[in-house]
Amino acid sequence: MMNQLLQLPLFWAALTIAAFIAGQQLYRRTGNNAFLPPILTGIALVVTTLELSGASYTTYMEGGQFLHLMLGPVVVMLAVPLYQYLHTMRRQWLRIALAVTLGSGTTVACAVVLTHIWIGDDAITRTMYAKSITTPVAVAISEQVHGISALASAFVIITGILGALVIPPLLKATRMDDPQTLGLTLGICAHAIGTSRAMELGPQQSAYAAMAMTLTATLHALVLPWVV
């Protein structure tokens, strides 16, 4: 009975959703502890289940693909908070453009150079180019630049978690934590997970993070296939 259940695609889709909900509950009960983001707890629960059950990644993705297809529409939904501050952003287009271009370019360049020096594997280095873009775009770009799609997802998640954890206290310590700067930084450096964190901090942070994440993904989608 259990073996048959483990082969059902809907079981793994439901398990993924349940794991994320469990992660949210833990996150809230610990006072929104930045060290316990829902996505990290959810990943740990799913990985543990896969390890204990002996199910393969292929089996999991038969159900996980349904959720994977929803990543794109979820990103588009971020247009709602963005629209509320669009009139202000229009007057700051140069500031935003420079922040996205220089910020995302710097973080990717540093990561790629360090990966090349410390690891030296060409496929991993190419995959690292997509580490600061939201997951659906990162997976597509990693395939275009001959990287490793699964590893690209891992890099994106790790980058997002670390960014959401480090950026707010770092900007606060340097007295650069005004809502606009904080939102831009989270969106550029920590993409969707950073934007999720920005939503907890306020509507203005959320709007600027959504704008920065969207522009960063668009810029890298256009530029990286030509550069790499």
Side-chain angles (χ1 to χ4, degrees):
M1 181 67 179
M2 181 57 70
N3 288 334
Q4 293 177 343
L5 184 63
L6 293 174
Q7 298 302 317
L8 292 176
L10 288 180
F11 169 79
W12 293 108
L15 175 70
T16 303
I17 295 173
F20 182 77
I21 292 175
Q24 280 187 317
Q25 293 299 319
L26 178 62
Y27 181 63
R28 290 168 182 166
R29 293 192 177 189
T30 56
N32 293 355
N33 190 329
F35 288 95
L36 292 171
I39 190 170
L40 180 61
T41 304
I43 289 172
L45 291 173
V46 172
V47 169
T48 301
T49 304
L50 286 169
E51 186 68 24
L52 294 176
S53 66
S56 66
Y57 174 76
T58 303
T59 300
Y60 169 78
M61 277 306 295
E62 289 179 2
Q65 64 179 332
F66 300 121
L67 301 176
H68 184 76
L69 292 173
M70 293 304 297
L71 288 174
V74 167
V75 173
V76 174
M77 288 173 62
L78 292 172
V80 176
L82 190 156
Y83 175 76
Q84 297 174 342
Y85 289 89
L86 192 59
H87 61 285
T88 304
M89 295 178 182
R90 286 176 178 173
R91 298 195 297 267
Q92 301 173 330
W93 66 269
L94 181 59
R95 176 194 180 194
I96 294 173
L98 288 174
V100 169
T101 304
L102 298 179
S104 64
T106 300
T107 185
V108 169
C110 290
V112 169
V113 169
L114 291 175
T115 302
H116 178 71
I117 294 174
W118 290 344
I119 299 177
D121 185 278
D122 185 61
I124 296 178
T125 301
R126 287 176 176 272
T127 304
M128 187 59 74
Y129 277 98
K131 68 100 183 172
S132 286
I133 318 170
T134 190
T135 305
V137 181
V139 170
I141 289 180
S142 66
E143 293 175 351
Q144 293 182 34
V145 300
H146 305 293
I148 305 170
S149 299
L151 196 57
S153 298
F155 287 163
V156 168
I157 292 171
I158 293 171
T159 300
I161 291 174
L162 290 178
L165 178 65
V166 172
I167 289 170
L170 180 62
L171 292 185
K172 184 176 181 179
T174 56
R175 298 181 180 180
M176 298 175 63
D177 60 336
D178 64 275
Q180 296 176 6
T181 301
L182 182 54
L184 284 172
T185 307
L186 284 169
I188 292 169
C189 299
H191 39 78
I193 298 176
T195 302
S196 176
R197 175 62 175 155
M199 288 180 175
E200 299 175 2
L201 300 175
Q204 192 169 9
Q205 293 93 326
S206 172
Y208 276 81
M211 167 67 81
M213 182 190 71
T214 304
L215 291 179
T216 300
T218 303
L219 175 64
H220 287 224
L222 293 173
V223 173
L224 286 182
W226 293 95
V227 173
V228 182

